Protein backbone atom coordinates (compact mmCIF):
# COMPACT_ATOMS: atom_id res chain seq x y z
CA UNK A 1 0.00 0.00 0.00
CA UNK A 2 1.27 3.45 -0.87
CA UNK A 3 -0.07 6.50 0.87
CA UNK A 4 1.19 10.03 0.37
CA UNK A 5 1.49 12.54 3.20
CA UNK A 6 1.83 16.33 3.08
CA UNK A 7 3.20 18.73 5.69
CA UNK A 8 0.74 20.53 7.95
CA UNK A 9 3.40 23.08 8.87
CA UNK A 10 7.03 24.16 8.70
CA UNK A 11 9.35 24.77 11.64
CA UNK A 12 11.29 28.04 11.84
CA UNK A 13 14.05 27.02 14.21
CA UNK A 14 17.05 28.50 16.02
CA UNK A 15 19.09 25.72 14.37
CA UNK A 16 20.27 26.63 10.88
CA UNK A 17 22.48 23.59 10.34
CA UNK A 18 22.46 20.01 11.62
CA UNK A 19 25.76 20.23 13.50
CA UNK A 20 25.35 21.07 17.22
CA UNK A 21 21.61 20.36 17.35
CA UNK A 22 20.98 18.25 20.48
CA UNK A 23 20.38 14.56 19.75
CA UNK A 24 16.95 14.63 21.37
CA UNK A 25 14.38 17.25 22.39
CA UNK A 26 14.31 18.68 25.94
CA UNK A 27 18.13 18.61 26.21
CA UNK A 28 18.30 22.33 25.39
CA UNK A 29 15.24 24.06 26.88
CA UNK A 30 16.47 27.38 25.39
CA UNK A 31 16.16 25.95 21.85
CA UNK A 32 13.13 27.73 20.47
CA UNK A 33 11.22 27.89 17.25
CA UNK A 34 7.86 28.54 15.66
CA UNK A 35 5.75 25.98 13.84
CA UNK A 36 3.96 27.87 11.07
CA UNK A 37 0.76 26.04 10.15
CA UNK A 38 -0.11 25.65 6.48
CA UNK A 39 -3.60 25.92 4.91
CA UNK A 40 -6.15 24.60 5.76
CA UNK A 41 -4.74 24.15 9.31
CA UNK A 42 -3.91 27.84 9.89
CA UNK A 43 -7.36 29.21 10.67
CA UNK A 44 -7.58 28.39 14.40
CA UNK A 45 -10.00 25.43 14.30
CA UNK A 46 -7.25 22.79 14.14
CA UNK A 47 -5.47 24.05 17.28
CA UNK A 48 -8.56 24.73 19.38
CA UNK A 49 -8.01 23.13 22.83
CA UNK A 50 -4.21 23.00 22.53
CA UNK A 51 -3.90 25.89 25.00
CA UNK A 52 -4.75 23.28 27.68
CA UNK A 53 -1.67 21.22 26.80
CA UNK A 54 1.93 21.79 27.97
CA UNK A 55 3.77 19.55 25.49
CA UNK A 56 3.10 18.11 22.05
CA UNK A 57 4.51 15.30 19.93
CA UNK A 58 5.66 16.45 16.52
CA UNK A 59 5.89 13.91 13.72
CA UNK A 60 8.15 15.33 11.07
CA UNK A 61 10.27 14.60 8.03
CA UNK A 62 14.05 14.46 8.31
CA UNK A 63 14.04 16.50 5.12
CA UNK A 64 17.83 16.83 5.04
CA UNK A 65 18.47 13.12 5.52
CA UNK A 66 16.07 11.54 3.02
CA UNK A 67 17.45 8.56 1.10
CA UNK A 68 16.07 6.31 -1.63
CA UNK A 69 17.73 3.10 -0.45
CA UNK A 70 16.54 1.82 2.94
CA UNK A 71 19.25 1.14 5.52
CA UNK A 72 18.81 -1.88 7.79
CA UNK A 73 21.76 -1.01 9.99
CA UNK A 74 22.94 2.42 11.11
CA UNK A 75 25.88 3.75 13.12
CA UNK A 76 24.38 6.02 15.78
CA UNK A 77 26.63 8.96 16.84
CA UNK A 78 25.78 8.11 20.45
CA UNK A 79 27.68 4.83 20.09
CA UNK A 80 30.72 6.65 18.74
CA UNK A 81 29.75 6.28 15.08
CA UNK A 82 31.70 3.02 14.73
CA UNK A 83 29.22 0.42 16.00
CA UNK A 84 26.29 -0.60 13.83
CA UNK A 85 22.83 -1.33 15.14
CA UNK A 86 19.45 -2.26 13.65
CA UNK A 87 17.75 0.89 12.40
CA UNK A 88 14.64 0.18 14.47
CA UNK A 89 16.73 0.01 17.67
CA UNK A 90 17.90 3.59 17.18
CA UNK A 91 16.59 7.12 16.73
CA UNK A 92 18.98 7.75 13.81
CA UNK A 93 17.89 10.25 11.17
CA UNK A 94 18.27 7.77 8.28
CA UNK A 95 14.97 5.93 8.43
CA UNK A 96 12.79 3.92 6.04
CA UNK A 97 10.24 6.70 5.65
CA UNK A 98 12.33 9.60 6.95
CA UNK A 99 9.96 10.17 9.87
CA UNK A 100 11.14 11.72 13.15
CA UNK A 101 9.25 12.34 16.37
CA UNK A 102 9.97 14.82 19.15
CA UNK A 103 8.13 15.84 22.27
CA UNK A 104 8.46 19.61 22.66
CA UNK A 105 7.16 22.29 25.01
CA UNK A 106 4.25 24.36 23.79
CA UNK A 107 4.94 27.94 24.84
CA UNK A 108 2.08 29.69 23.08
CA UNK A 109 -0.75 28.84 20.72
CA UNK A 110 -1.92 31.17 17.96
CA UNK A 111 -4.38 30.44 15.17
CA UNK A 112 -1.70 29.99 12.55
CA UNK A 113 1.41 29.14 14.62
CA UNK A 114 2.70 27.30 17.65
CA UNK A 115 5.59 28.71 19.71
CA UNK A 116 7.87 25.88 20.82
CA UNK A 117 10.89 25.27 23.05
CA UNK A 118 13.18 22.35 23.79
CA UNK A 119 13.28 21.49 20.09
CA UNK A 120 15.83 19.33 18.23
CA UNK A 121 14.64 20.35 14.76
CA UNK A 122 16.46 21.94 11.88
CA UNK A 123 15.12 25.14 10.35
CA UNK A 124 12.66 24.32 7.55
CA UNK A 125 11.64 20.92 8.95
CA UNK A 126 8.26 19.85 7.48
CA UNK A 127 5.85 18.68 10.17
CA UNK A 128 3.38 15.91 9.29
CA UNK A 129 1.22 15.85 12.43
CA UNK A 130 0.89 17.24 15.95
CA UNK A 131 -0.43 15.23 18.88
CA UNK A 132 -0.88 16.30 22.49
CA UNK A 133 1.43 14.68 25.03
CA UNK A 134 -0.68 12.53 27.34
CA UNK A 135 1.27 12.09 30.61
CA UNK A 136 -0.53 9.01 31.90
CA UNK A 137 -0.01 7.12 28.64
CA UNK A 138 3.23 8.57 27.22
CA UNK A 139 5.36 8.36 30.36
CA UNK A 140 6.18 4.73 31.16
CA UNK A 141 7.35 4.24 34.73
CA UNK A 142 9.30 0.98 34.35
CA UNK A 143 10.63 1.59 30.84
CA UNK A 144 14.27 0.87 30.06
CA UNK A 145 16.62 1.22 27.10
CA UNK A 146 19.92 -0.60 27.36
CA UNK A 147 21.41 1.33 24.44
CA UNK A 148 20.47 4.82 25.60
CA UNK A 149 19.92 4.43 29.31
CA UNK A 150 20.53 8.05 30.36
CA UNK A 151 21.01 11.49 28.88
CA UNK A 152 24.51 11.98 27.46
CA UNK A 153 27.09 13.29 29.96
CA UNK A 154 27.60 17.05 29.80
CA UNK A 155 30.94 18.76 29.35
CA UNK A 156 32.04 22.12 30.76
CA UNK A 157 31.40 25.21 28.63
CA UNK A 158 33.44 28.35 29.33
CA UNK A 159 33.50 31.69 27.56
CA UNK A 160 36.20 34.03 26.37
CA UNK A 161 35.40 37.53 27.66
CA UNK A 162 34.92 38.71 24.08
CA UNK A 163 32.50 35.91 23.15
CA UNK A 164 30.32 36.35 26.23
CA UNK A 165 29.84 40.07 25.55
CA UNK A 166 29.12 39.33 21.87
CA UNK A 167 26.55 36.68 22.83
CA UNK A 168 24.84 39.00 25.32
CA UNK A 169 24.56 41.76 22.72
CA UNK A 170 23.06 39.38 20.13
CA UNK A 171 20.74 37.87 22.74
CA UNK A 172 19.31 41.31 23.45
CA UNK A 173 18.93 42.12 19.75
CA UNK A 174 17.22 38.78 19.02
CA UNK A 175 15.12 38.76 22.20
CA UNK A 176 16.26 35.16 22.69
CA UNK A 177 18.13 33.31 25.48
CA UNK A 178 21.19 32.95 23.24
CA UNK A 179 23.77 32.51 26.02
CA UNK A 180 21.76 29.64 27.52
CA UNK A 181 21.13 28.15 24.08
CA UNK A 182 24.84 28.06 23.24
CA UNK A 183 25.76 26.67 26.67
CA UNK A 184 23.07 23.98 26.58
CA UNK A 185 23.92 22.83 23.05
CA UNK A 186 27.70 22.85 23.41
CA UNK A 187 27.48 21.08 26.80
CA UNK A 188 26.14 18.08 24.81
CA UNK A 189 29.55 17.98 23.07
CA UNK A 190 28.51 18.07 19.42
CA UNK A 191 31.79 16.79 17.97
CA UNK A 192 31.72 13.22 16.61
CA UNK A 193 32.73 10.87 19.42
CA UNK A 194 35.61 9.40 17.40
CA UNK A 195 37.34 12.80 17.08
CA UNK A 196 39.91 13.74 19.70
CA UNK A 197 40.03 17.49 19.28
CA UNK A 198 43.41 19.20 19.10
CA UNK A 199 43.29 22.45 21.14
CA UNK A 200 44.14 24.50 18.04
CA UNK A 201 41.25 23.05 16.04
CA UNK A 202 38.18 25.31 15.93
CA UNK A 203 34.59 24.16 15.50
CA UNK A 204 31.61 26.30 14.48
CA UNK A 205 27.84 26.28 14.10
CA UNK A 206 25.09 28.75 13.30
CA UNK A 207 22.36 29.53 15.88
CA UNK A 208 19.66 32.01 14.80
CA UNK A 209 21.68 34.43 12.66
CA UNK A 210 25.03 34.21 14.43
CA UNK A 211 28.09 32.02 13.93
CA UNK A 212 29.51 30.54 17.10
CA UNK A 213 33.10 29.31 17.18
CA UNK A 214 34.67 27.23 19.92
CA UNK A 215 37.59 24.95 20.68
CA UNK A 216 38.55 22.25 23.19
CA UNK A 217 41.41 23.47 25.40
CA UNK A 218 41.09 20.04 27.11
CA UNK A 219 39.12 17.00 25.85
CA UNK A 220 36.24 17.56 28.29
CA UNK A 221 36.07 21.37 28.15
CA UNK A 222 34.81 23.79 25.52
CA UNK A 223 35.74 27.46 25.35
CA UNK A 224 33.50 29.67 23.21
CA UNK A 225 35.78 31.96 21.21
CA UNK A 226 33.50 34.24 19.15
CA UNK A 227 29.82 34.90 18.45
CA UNK A 228 29.54 36.99 15.29
CA UNK A 229 26.89 37.66 12.64
CA UNK A 230 26.64 34.79 10.16
CA UNK A 231 27.67 35.52 6.60
CA UNK A 232 24.55 36.42 4.58
N1 LIG B 1 13.77 13.34 18.35
C1 LIG B 1 13.82 12.90 16.98
C2 LIG B 1 13.55 11.41 16.87
O1 LIG B 1 13.87 10.68 17.81
O2 LIG B 1 13.02 10.98 15.85
C3 LIG B 1 15.12 13.26 16.31
C4 LIG B 1 16.32 12.50 16.81
S1 LIG B 1 17.69 12.72 15.73
C5 LIG B 1 18.89 11.69 16.49
C6 LIG B 1 18.19 14.35 16.15
C7 LIG B 1 19.08 14.93 15.11
O3 LIG B 1 18.36 15.05 13.90
C8 LIG B 1 19.55 16.33 15.43
O4 LIG B 1 20.73 16.31 16.19
C9 LIG B 1 19.77 16.96 14.04
O5 LIG B 1 21.12 16.90 13.66
C10 LIG B 1 18.95 16.06 13.11
N2 LIG B 1 17.84 16.76 12.44
C11 LIG B 1 16.91 17.56 13.01
N3 LIG B 1 16.03 17.98 12.09
C12 LIG B 1 16.41 17.43 10.91
C13 LIG B 1 15.90 17.47 9.58
N4 LIG B 1 14.81 18.18 9.28
N5 LIG B 1 16.56 16.78 8.60
C14 LIG B 1 17.67 16.06 8.90
N6 LIG B 1 18.20 15.97 10.13
C15 LIG B 1 17.58 16.64 11.13
Amino acid sequence: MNHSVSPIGIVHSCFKEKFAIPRQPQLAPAARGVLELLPPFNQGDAVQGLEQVSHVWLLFLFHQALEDKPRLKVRPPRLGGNKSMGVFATRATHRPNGIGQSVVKLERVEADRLWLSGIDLLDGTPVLDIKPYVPYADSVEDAFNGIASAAPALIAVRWSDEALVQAQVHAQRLGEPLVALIEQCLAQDPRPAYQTPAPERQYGACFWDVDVRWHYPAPDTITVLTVVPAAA
Side-chain angles (χ1 to χ4, degrees), residues 23-213:
R23 296 195 176 124
Q24 285 300 337
Q26 308 301 321
L27 297 174
R32 307 195 330 171
V34 176
L35 169 51
E36 179 195 352
L37 298 168
L38 297 174
F41 304 103
N42 59 350
Q43 307 297 318
D45 285 354
V47 294
Q48 195 194 350
L50 260 191
E51 67 287 343
Q52 299 176 62
V53 167
S54 68
H55 292 74
V56 287
W57 286 104
L58 299 182
L59 301 179
F60 60 91
L61 266 191
F62 285 115
H63 73 304
Q64 281 203 8
L66 295 174
E67 292 177 330
D68 291 336
K69 195 166 176 287
R71 294 191 198 197
L72 307 187
K73 294 263 194 163
V74 293
R75 294 173 188 275
R78 191 186 169 100
L79 300 181
N82 51 16
K83 196 170 166 197
S84 76
M85 191 65 68
V87 64
F88 298 134
T90 80
R91 302 283 281 261
T93 56
H94 296 286
R95 313 205 66 79
N97 289 298
I99 294 176
Q101 62 175 91
S102 293
V103 64
V104 300
K105 186 161 186 217
L106 194 48
E107 298 283 351
R108 195 158 88 234
V109 180
E110 292 178 14
D112 62 350
R113 61 199 53 220
L114 303 181
W115 297 76
L116 310 170
S117 67
I119 61 176
D120 60 346
L121 307 170
L122 185 63
D123 194 47
T125 295
V127 173
L128 303 176
D129 203 352
I130 305 164
K131 302 190 188 199
Y133 183 80
V134 179
Y136 76 81
D138 292 344
S139 164
V140 182
E141 213 177 303
D142 54 352
F144 68 89
N145 182 330
I147 303 162
S149 54
L154 301 180
I155 66 168
V157 178
R158 307 194 200 296
W159 293 83
S160 71
D161 293 345
E162 181 193 20
L164 185 56
V165 172
Q166 290 169 335
Q168 287 165 338
V169 169
H170 287 297
Q172 198 158 18
R173 173 182 60 79
L174 291 163
E176 288 292 335
L178 182 65
V179 174
L181 175 66
I182 294 169
E183 286 181 352
Q184 291 166 4
C185 293
L186 298 193
Q188 310 287 324
D189 195 1
R191 96 196 116 122
Y194 52 82
Q195 274 182 22
T196 309
E200 60 278 10
R201 174 161 183 188
Q202 290 191 14
Y203 292 75
C206 186
F207 299 91
W208 295 112
D209 60 358
V210 294
D211 265 331
V212 178
R213 299 201 70 75

